[in-house]
Amino acid sequence: MAGESKLRAAVIGVGVGWNHIEGYQTHPQCELAAICDINEALLHERGERFNVPPERRFTDYRHVLASKEIDAVSIALPNWLHEPVAIEAFQHGKHVLMEKPLAHSVEAGERIIEAAKAAGKTLMVCYNHRYRPEIVWLKRLARAGEFGHIYAAKAGWLREGWIPTHGAWFTQKERAGGGALIDLGVHVLDLALWLMGYPQPISVSGAAFAEFGQRGQKTKPRHLKPERFDVDDSGFGFVRFADGAVLQFESAWATHREPQQDAYYVRLFGSEAGANFYSAAPNGETVALFKYVGDQPAAILPRLQSNVSGHRLAVHHFVDCCLSGQTPESPGEHGLIGLRIIDAIYRSAAERREVRCEA
Ligand SMILES: NC(=O)c1ccc[n+]([C@@H]2O[C@H](COP(=O)([O-])OP(=O)(O)OC[C@H]3O[C@@H](n4cnc5c(N)ncnc54)[C@H](O)[C@@H]3O)[C@@H](O)[C@H]2O)c1
């Protein structure tokens, strides 16, 4: 593929997958070759909205994977389908852009990475929040060494009431792999790890709770109640890394807090500078760098603007990597580290003690 001029891509699963359709359609060296979903009504709704001709709409993903007219696929399916569809995609020689989480379990994630290696194809995890201008700015500072040694970080994503019930699978352990931790937690874990330079985790202490979902409270949409709820609706963790750094993080679909709040944040503690990124809908967002200017502590607030969605930028990066042969910024291995930390939180929660978390 390296050196070729056009990538022919397909999107399998068009729930949140509509963002991938848009991403492929807006990349000048990409052609959207197919979209696929078993929900025919949704498939055609997306097809009409994004001008995808009817002959490029499919309900059977096997047909898409077998097509010689397709080089790469986005997989935006329920978590438990990530593994079988990705493995089949690699067997057919496709590149894969995987919606987060990489998989519904550590073992499934490992098998996906092995399949990508065996096929010699690109595997990227879609961590779209990395492409927010605030995170891009912080990463640029981190790469330039502005923070010195980042010895600690805090990250979280807390919602007042958003237990997803638009797909029944979200609240079922065997199909989702977990609840708020694997759904929201992986995003903010990734942001913190990314800014810290992906240090190697060695141990984790954590806790997970199910306080609202089993009572049918705080669901979104509100009128849909879970048929089954055997996952966490909030989770908390403390991670130690091989280089001595630590990370404290939290994620919740549901908590008693400011009504409708949906906020995520990352705070960095570095030897030379610190930073705070905070995003709260609908209250706005902010990012700041803190350091000495002369001998005075100061806050530096950048002016950042972007109207381009993180999803679109992530898809564009994937297309560029497939065409150039470059390794993506968020390879499968990053997805696997997140899964290992979350798995360790569940083990720590069950055993009520700190547990090892190593490859
Ligand atoms: N990066 C992000 O910000 C973000 C946001 C939301 C969801 N996600 C992830 O994206 C994935 C999908 O989430 P969602 O919210 O769109 O879920 P969803 O349940 O709304 O959509 C999944 C789609 O897959 C389709 N589908 C199910 N089985 C299929 C099959 N065998 N063949 C073809 N289509 C099939 C369903 O009909 C549905 O339209 C999940 O892994 C989720 O974690 C990521």
Side-chain angles (χ1 to χ4, degrees):
M1 195 72 217
E4 286 188 27
S5 61
K6 198 138 197 153
L7 187 81
R8 298 161 303 175
V11 178
I12 304 176
V14 296
V16 77
W18 72 263
N19 292 278
H20 295 241
I21 299 175
E22 205 210 15
Y24 291 126
Q25 285 183 327
T26 52
H27 192 292
Q29 284 173 276
C30 185
E31 177 193 329
L32 180 73
I35 60 172
C36 172
D37 203 293
I38 45 167
N39 179 338
E40 277 194 61
L42 185 68
L43 177 71
H44 294 303
E45 188 265 299
R46 298 294 198 234
E48 294 305 305
R49 183 168 146 204
F50 292 99
N51 288 319
V52 183
E55 64 276 15
R56 292 190 177 196
R57 304 175 194 168
F58 300 91
T59 50
D60 185 348
Y61 75 81
R62 291 194 169 86
H63 189 91
V64 173
L65 297 184
S67 168
K68 297 218 173 351
E69 310 295 309
I70 291 169
D71 309 306
V73 292
S74 275
I75 299 177
L77 294 168
N79 298 352
W80 94 101
L81 291 172
H82 290 191
E83 180 193 3
V85 179
I87 288 179
E88 205 173 321
F90 288 126
Q91 284 164 351
H92 283 283
K94 312 297 183 209
H95 303 287
V96 171
L97 174 57
M98 183 68 85
E99 259 304 343
K100 48 55 63 175
L102 171 63
H104 68 303
S105 72
V106 170
E107 296 72 22
E110 287 170 344
R111 288 189 288 265
I112 292 172
I113 290 173
E114 273 166 34
K117 281 190 186 142
K121 294 292 166 183
T122 300
L123 168 62
M124 171 171 154
V125 183
C126 184
Y127 280 136
N128 47 303
H129 295 282
R130 282 191 194 184
Y131 296 86
R132 293 187 62 109
E134 300 89 342
I135 301 297
V136 171
W137 182 67
L138 290 176
K139 183 65 185 174
R140 199 177 305 131
L141 294 174
R143 278 194 166 126
E146 186 83 23
F147 295 104
H149 169 51
I150 301 177
Y151 52 88
K154 285 172 82 171
W157 191 332
L158 300 173
R159 288 178 169 166
E160 181 268 328
W162 193 331
I163 294 177
T165 45
H166 65 278
W169 62 272
F170 275 103
T171 58
Q172 300 175 5
K173 176 85 177 171
E174 70 190 32
R175 299 209 276 164
L181 275 165
I182 206 162
D183 184 41
L184 304 180
V186 288
H187 271 306
V188 287
L189 250 182
D190 174 67
L191 291 183
L193 292 168
W194 171 237
L195 294 170
M196 294 171 90
Y198 258 85
Q200 177 64 40
I202 52 168
S203 68
V204 171
S205 186
F209 301 92
E211 297 291 338
F212 301 95
Q214 281 153 342
R215 291 186 279 164
Q217 291 181 348
K218 293 187 182 280
T219 60
K220 190 167 177 175
R222 199 162 274 203
H223 67 280
L224 283 181
K225 300 300 169 196
E227 300 162 15
R228 219 174 75 208
F229 188 96
D230 58 4
V231 293
D232 50 290
D233 49 33
S234 65
F236 303 83
F238 185 81
V239 187
R240 290 181 189 281
F241 299 96
D243 65 356
V246 294
L247 166 66
Q248 186 183 324
F249 96 109
E250 55 192 358
S251 62
W253 279 336
T255 51
H256 284 305
R257 61 190 302 104
E258 296 82 345
Q260 277 98 53
Q261 199 182 57
D262 178 5
Y264 62 96
Y265 68 89
V266 182
R267 187 177 272 276
L268 301 175
F269 301 83
S271 54
E272 308 309 314
N276 190 29
F277 161 67
Y278 182 76
S279 154
N283 305 331
E285 46 248 349
T286 183
V287 64
L289 176 77
F290 307 106
K291 63 176 195 173
Y292 278 126
V293 174
D295 60 355
Q296 292 300 313
I300 293 151
L301 298 137
R303 283 174 174 270
L304 299 170
Q305 261 192 333
S306 170
N307 299 323
V308 184
S309 81
H311 253 114
R312 186 190 288 195
L313 294 171
V315 172
H316 285 193
H317 176 61
F318 173 68
V319 174
D320 292 341
C321 290
C322 293
L323 291 172
S324 67
Q326 177 200 335
T327 302
E329 298 268 27
S330 50
E333 286 76 6
H334 285 186
L336 188 60
I337 289 174
L339 288 178
R340 283 194 204 289
I341 291 174
I342 286 166
D343 174 68
I345 290 180
Y346 291 137
R347 284 188 286 119
S348 170
E351 296 173 25
R352 296 187 175 212
R353 63 182 181 86
E354 188 173 53
V355 299
R356 306 295 298 169
C357 174
E358 281 165 305

